[in-house]
Amino acid sequence: MVKEKIAEALINGDVEKGKELAKQALDEGVSAKEVLDEGVLSGMEVIGERFKNFEVYIPEVLQSAAVMNEVMEVLKPALAEIEEGESSTKGTVVLGTVEGDMHDIGKNLVALMLEGAGFKVVDIGIDQPASKFVEAVEKEKPQVVGMSALLTTTAPKILEVEEALKKANLRDKVKTMAGGAVIDQDFVDKNGVDAYGPSATAAIEITQKLVSEVKNNAS
Ligand code: B12
């Protein structure tokens, strides 16, 4: 029940209620992942649908995002415990939202989960042109580059990042992954991206796999 109430608080934009319920859920033994998937994300889904149908507008969406951020603060310590066993391969991920795109809620969630799982995340932020991804790869030498795109108009920017990495002779040194509302398996297959990440929890498993592929190639 408490998970549904968290979704409700998120939909209603009630920060205090959201925080209080998240604490209550953890106290009651509900896992942070369940709160995330069945509370936070299902609430965001409802808001997403309403935004699409013009039933709510930008201020309401931002208020729900504020609830989500506060609830995530409560969940953070518990999510960090999702960390996989000792044998998991840790590495570095450069993560950003592509040029022209301001959406960062999903990207931030991916960053949070990856950090929780023990990866170093270099978050380059929103609205980042291909050149900034290249710069970050040169500087940070990550195994994985993660790109987030939520608009039909910005999805092609992922291809620009792929091309820029090739031009800088960096593409064979990293694996790439992409996610966001308009990205799917078909898109990544057609655009030479190594993996599609449907969610922040999936991103952990994918990153683990990609990091070990890069490390195996190097050895
Ligand atoms: C919140 C939101 C906004 C907020 C963004 C606030 C912020 N700080 O991010 C605001 C109000 C600012 C906004 C603005 C706009 N938005 Co908007 N927005 C949304 C909304 C409702 C939710 C997105 C969200 O945060 N979801 C919750 C998170 C947790 O989910 P997520 O982003 O999908 O991320 C998860 C996965 O996709 C994945 N993932 C995401 N990125 C990555 C990256 C990697 C590497 C991996 C592995 C995984 C991964 O993991 C995440 C966590 O599980 C969506 C609706 C939707 N269905 O997505 C529309 C939506 C994306 N927006 C849309 C539009 C049109 C706009 C505007 C153009 C509206 C306008 N007319 O001004 C502007 C564009 C601004 C810009 N230039 O970017 C459309 C896009 C349609 C399209 N096909 O292009 C959508 C789909 C709504 C719709 N159906 O009409 N928006």
Side-chain angles (χ1 to χ4, degrees):
M1 287 314 115
V2 69
K3 287 176 281 186
E4 285 82 2
K5 284 191 187 152
I6 291 171
E8 228 174 86
L10 198 118
I11 294 161
N12 296 332
D14 191 337
V15 174
E16 286 313 311
K17 191 102 204 138
K19 272 162 61 177
E20 184 191 310
L21 289 165
K23 282 181 199 144
Q24 186 191 329
L26 295 180
D27 285 346
E28 285 175 6
V30 181
S31 76
K33 191 176 172 302
E34 273 179 274
V35 176
L36 177 65
D37 288 343
E38 294 164 41
V40 176
L41 294 182
S42 61
M44 265 332 270
E45 227 167 81
V46 173
I47 283 292
E49 270 306 300
R50 291 188 185 170
F51 184 59
K52 187 169 135 191
N53 298 329
F54 305 103
E55 289 161 13
V56 297
Y57 296 93
I58 290 176
E60 286 96 331
V61 175
L62 292 180
Q63 187 58 30
S64 293
V67 179
M68 171 167 149
N69 287 337
E70 292 296 326
V71 170
M72 291 311 291
E73 283 300 315
V74 176
L75 299 182
K76 234 181 200 175
L79 282 172
E81 285 166 19
I82 295 180
E83 185 166 351
E84 305 278 311
E86 291 276 304
S87 62
S88 66
T89 326
K90 306 289 148 75
T92 303
V93 181
V94 161
L95 185 66
T97 301
V98 296
E99 188 172 11
D101 204 318
M102 311 296 172
H103 294 87
D104 68 355
I105 299 171
K107 168 186 70 60
N108 294 347
L109 207 51
V110 170
L112 197 76
M113 296 295 276
L114 290 180
E115 277 169 1
F119 294 98
K120 178 183 172 192
V121 177
V122 180
D123 186 344
I124 62 171
I126 55 169
D127 189 19
Q128 293 298 316
S131 60
K132 293 288 179 192
F133 280 90
V134 169
E135 260 173 43
V137 170
E138 277 167 347
K139 183 161 173 261
E140 306 288 343
K141 308 207 172 359
Q143 287 83 24
V144 179
V145 176
M147 296 164 279
S148 188
L150 273 88
L151 299 169
T152 311
T153 49
T154 59
K157 297 288 174 185
I158 289 177
L159 187 57
E160 287 185 15
V161 177
E162 289 284 339
E163 292 301 326
L165 288 171
K166 272 185 211 150
K167 239 185 183 163
N169 288 324
L170 292 167
R171 186 59 184 91
D172 55 350
K173 297 187 174 64
V174 292
K175 293 279 176 186
T176 56
M177 62 179 179
V182 293
I183 309 304
D184 57 17
Q185 190 62 48
D186 189 49
F187 178 92
V188 306
D189 291 344
K190 285 189 175 137
N191 291 286
V193 183
D194 294 312
Y196 163 57
S199 70
T201 33
I204 298 178
E205 217 172 290
I206 293 161
T207 303
Q208 231 134 24
K209 181 170 164 278
L210 296 179
V211 167
S212 52
E213 281 174 17
V214 173
K215 289 191 173 171
N216 287 342
N217 280 348
S219 61

